[in-house]
Amino acid sequence: MASHFRSYIWDPVLIISQIVLMQCIYYSFLGLWMAGVDSLVQINHSLDQIFSYQVLGFATIQGRLSMMAFVLNSLTCALGLWFFIRRGKQCLDFTVTVHFFHMIGCWIYNAHLPAALSWWLVNVACMALMAVIGEYLCMRTELRAIPVNTGPKSNL
Protein backbone atom coordinates (compact mmCIF):
# COMPACT_ATOMS: atom_id res chain seq x y z
CA MET A 1 0.00 0.00 0.00
CA ALA A 2 1.59 3.23 -1.14
CA SER A 3 1.35 6.20 1.14
CA HIS A 4 -0.02 9.42 -0.30
CA PHE A 5 1.24 12.82 0.75
CA ARG A 6 -1.62 14.60 2.50
CA SER A 7 -4.18 12.04 1.48
CA TYR A 8 -7.68 13.19 2.37
CA ILE A 9 -9.72 10.92 4.60
CA TRP A 10 -13.45 11.55 4.95
CA ASP A 11 -14.00 12.31 8.63
CA PRO A 12 -17.45 13.85 9.27
CA VAL A 13 -16.83 14.20 13.01
CA LEU A 14 -13.73 16.31 12.32
CA ILE A 15 -15.56 18.44 9.77
CA ILE A 16 -18.56 19.07 12.05
CA SER A 17 -16.31 19.88 15.00
CA GLN A 18 -14.32 22.32 12.83
CA ILE A 19 -17.56 23.99 11.70
CA VAL A 20 -18.72 24.33 15.32
CA LEU A 21 -15.29 25.67 16.32
CA MET A 22 -15.29 28.26 13.53
CA GLN A 23 -18.82 29.38 14.52
CA CYS A 24 -17.66 29.75 18.12
CA ILE A 25 -14.63 31.77 16.99
CA TYR A 26 -16.84 33.91 14.73
CA TYR A 27 -19.38 34.85 17.39
CA SER A 28 -17.05 35.11 20.38
CA PHE A 29 -14.61 37.42 18.60
CA LEU A 30 -17.43 39.38 16.98
CA GLY A 31 -18.81 39.95 20.47
CA LEU A 32 -15.39 41.08 21.69
CA TRP A 33 -14.91 43.44 18.72
CA MET A 34 -18.44 44.82 19.21
CA ALA A 35 -17.75 45.40 22.91
CA GLY A 36 -14.53 47.17 21.97
CA VAL A 37 -16.15 49.52 19.48
CA ASP A 38 -19.12 50.06 21.80
CA SER A 39 -16.75 51.26 24.51
CA LEU A 40 -15.47 53.95 22.13
CA VAL A 41 -18.86 55.66 21.86
CA GLN A 42 -20.62 54.40 25.01
CA ILE A 43 -23.33 52.40 23.22
CA ASN A 44 -25.32 49.74 25.07
CA HIS A 45 -24.58 46.15 24.08
CA SER A 46 -27.36 44.34 22.23
CA LEU A 47 -27.88 41.26 20.08
CA ASP A 48 -29.27 43.65 17.47
CA GLN A 49 -25.70 44.70 16.72
CA ILE A 50 -24.85 41.15 15.63
CA PHE A 51 -28.09 39.86 14.12
CA SER A 52 -30.19 42.85 13.07
CA TYR A 53 -29.48 44.04 9.56
CA GLN A 54 -30.86 47.51 10.30
CA VAL A 55 -27.87 48.32 12.54
CA LEU A 56 -25.31 48.02 9.73
CA GLY A 57 -25.35 51.22 7.75
CA PHE A 58 -23.23 54.13 6.60
CA ALA A 59 -25.53 56.82 7.99
CA THR A 60 -24.84 56.49 11.74
CA ILE A 61 -21.68 56.22 13.79
CA GLN A 62 -23.04 53.03 15.38
CA GLY A 63 -23.52 51.49 11.93
CA ARG A 64 -20.02 52.40 10.78
CA LEU A 65 -18.48 51.07 14.01
CA SER A 66 -20.46 47.85 13.66
CA MET A 67 -19.14 47.48 10.12
CA MET A 68 -15.63 48.01 11.44
CA ALA A 69 -16.20 45.28 14.02
CA PHE A 70 -17.36 42.88 11.29
CA VAL A 71 -14.27 43.63 9.18
CA LEU A 72 -11.93 43.18 12.16
CA ASN A 73 -13.74 39.95 12.98
CA SER A 74 -13.08 38.62 9.49
CA LEU A 75 -9.37 39.18 10.08
CA THR A 76 -9.56 37.34 13.39
CA CYS A 77 -11.49 34.47 11.79
CA ALA A 78 -8.85 34.24 9.05
CA LEU A 79 -6.36 33.56 11.83
CA GLY A 80 -8.76 30.91 13.13
CA LEU A 81 -8.79 29.28 9.70
CA TRP A 82 -5.01 29.29 9.64
CA PHE A 83 -4.65 27.94 13.16
CA PHE A 84 -7.41 25.29 13.18
CA ILE A 85 -8.26 24.37 9.57
CA ARG A 86 -4.73 24.59 8.14
CA ARG A 87 -5.76 23.71 4.57
CA GLY A 88 -5.87 26.39 1.92
CA LYS A 89 -8.33 24.40 -0.17
CA GLN A 90 -10.86 24.36 2.67
CA CYS A 91 -10.72 28.04 3.67
CA LEU A 92 -13.41 29.14 1.23
CA ASP A 93 -15.65 26.24 2.26
CA PHE A 94 -15.45 27.07 5.96
CA THR A 95 -15.79 30.81 5.31
CA VAL A 96 -18.97 30.37 3.30
CA THR A 97 -20.32 27.93 5.90
CA VAL A 98 -19.71 30.38 8.77
CA HIS A 99 -21.41 33.22 6.90
CA PHE A 100 -24.26 30.98 5.72
CA PHE A 101 -25.05 30.02 9.31
CA HIS A 102 -24.81 33.70 10.29
CA MET A 103 -27.33 34.54 7.56
CA ILE A 104 -29.65 31.79 8.87
CA GLY A 105 -29.26 33.24 12.38
CA CYS A 106 -30.11 36.73 11.10
CA TRP A 107 -33.07 35.32 9.21
CA ILE A 108 -34.42 33.66 12.35
CA TYR A 109 -33.72 36.72 14.53
CA ASN A 110 -35.44 39.16 12.14
CA ALA A 111 -38.14 36.71 10.94
CA HIS A 112 -37.15 37.43 7.30
CA LEU A 113 -34.06 37.61 5.14
CA PRO A 114 -31.92 40.73 5.58
CA ALA A 115 -33.13 43.39 3.17
CA ALA A 116 -30.51 46.13 3.59
CA LEU A 117 -27.92 46.44 0.86
CA SER A 118 -25.33 47.49 3.44
CA TRP A 119 -25.77 44.17 5.30
CA TRP A 120 -25.13 42.20 2.11
CA LEU A 121 -22.15 44.35 1.12
CA VAL A 122 -20.52 44.06 4.53
CA ASN A 123 -21.01 40.29 4.70
CA VAL A 124 -19.77 39.67 1.14
CA ALA A 125 -16.72 41.88 1.76
CA CYS A 126 -16.02 40.13 5.07
CA MET A 127 -16.45 36.74 3.42
CA ALA A 128 -13.95 37.66 0.71
CA LEU A 129 -11.51 39.12 3.20
CA MET A 130 -11.70 36.11 5.53
CA ALA A 131 -11.31 33.59 2.70
CA VAL A 132 -8.45 35.35 0.92
CA ILE A 133 -6.40 36.09 4.04
CA GLY A 134 -7.10 32.65 5.53
CA GLU A 135 -6.10 30.96 2.29
CA TYR A 136 -2.98 33.10 2.01
CA LEU A 137 -1.89 32.18 5.54
CA CYS A 138 -2.62 28.48 5.02
CA MET A 139 -0.86 28.38 1.65
CA ARG A 140 2.19 30.10 3.14
CA THR A 141 2.35 27.38 5.78
CA GLU A 142 1.70 24.56 3.30
CA LEU A 143 4.39 25.77 0.90
CA ARG A 144 7.04 26.20 3.55
CA ALA A 145 10.23 24.36 2.65
CA ILE A 146 10.56 20.91 4.13
CA PRO A 147 13.87 20.72 6.00
CA VAL A 148 16.18 17.98 4.83
CA ASN A 149 18.64 16.51 7.29
CA THR A 150 22.09 17.60 6.15
CA GLY A 151 23.95 15.80 8.93
CA PRO A 152 27.04 13.70 8.38
CA LYS A 153 26.59 10.76 6.07
CA SER A 154 28.17 7.41 6.70
CA ASN A 155 29.80 5.32 3.99
CA LEU A 156 28.34 1.86 3.97
Side-chain angles (χ1 to χ4, degrees), residues 48-59:
D48 282 349
Q49 292 176 297
I50 295 174
F51 293 110
S52 179
Y53 64 88
Q54 291 97 349
V55 173
L56 292 177
F58 296 102

Side-chain angles (χ1 to χ4, degrees), residues 46-115:
S46 170
L47 277 179
D48 282 349
Q49 292 176 297
I50 295 174
F51 293 110
S52 179
Y53 64 88
Q54 291 97 349
V55 173
L56 292 177
F58 296 102
T60 65
I61 187 73
Q62 181 184 4
R64 289 189 295 257
L65 287 174
S66 293
M67 286 183 195
M68 185 177 76
F70 273 93
V71 169
L72 291 171
N73 188 50
S74 66
L75 301 176
T76 309
C77 288
L79 291 174
L81 288 171
W82 176 53
F83 194 74
F84 294 110
I85 306 304
R86 296 198 169 265
R87 296 291 307 266
K89 287 173 42 177
Q90 295 176 339
C91 286
L92 181 63
D93 300 337
F94 280 96
T95 300
V96 171
T97 302
V98 163
H99 285 85
F100 176 75
F101 284 128
H102 178 66
M103 184 189 70
I104 298 296
C106 291
W107 190 356
I108 291 169
Y109 188 81
N110 294 299
H112 53 84
L113 273 174

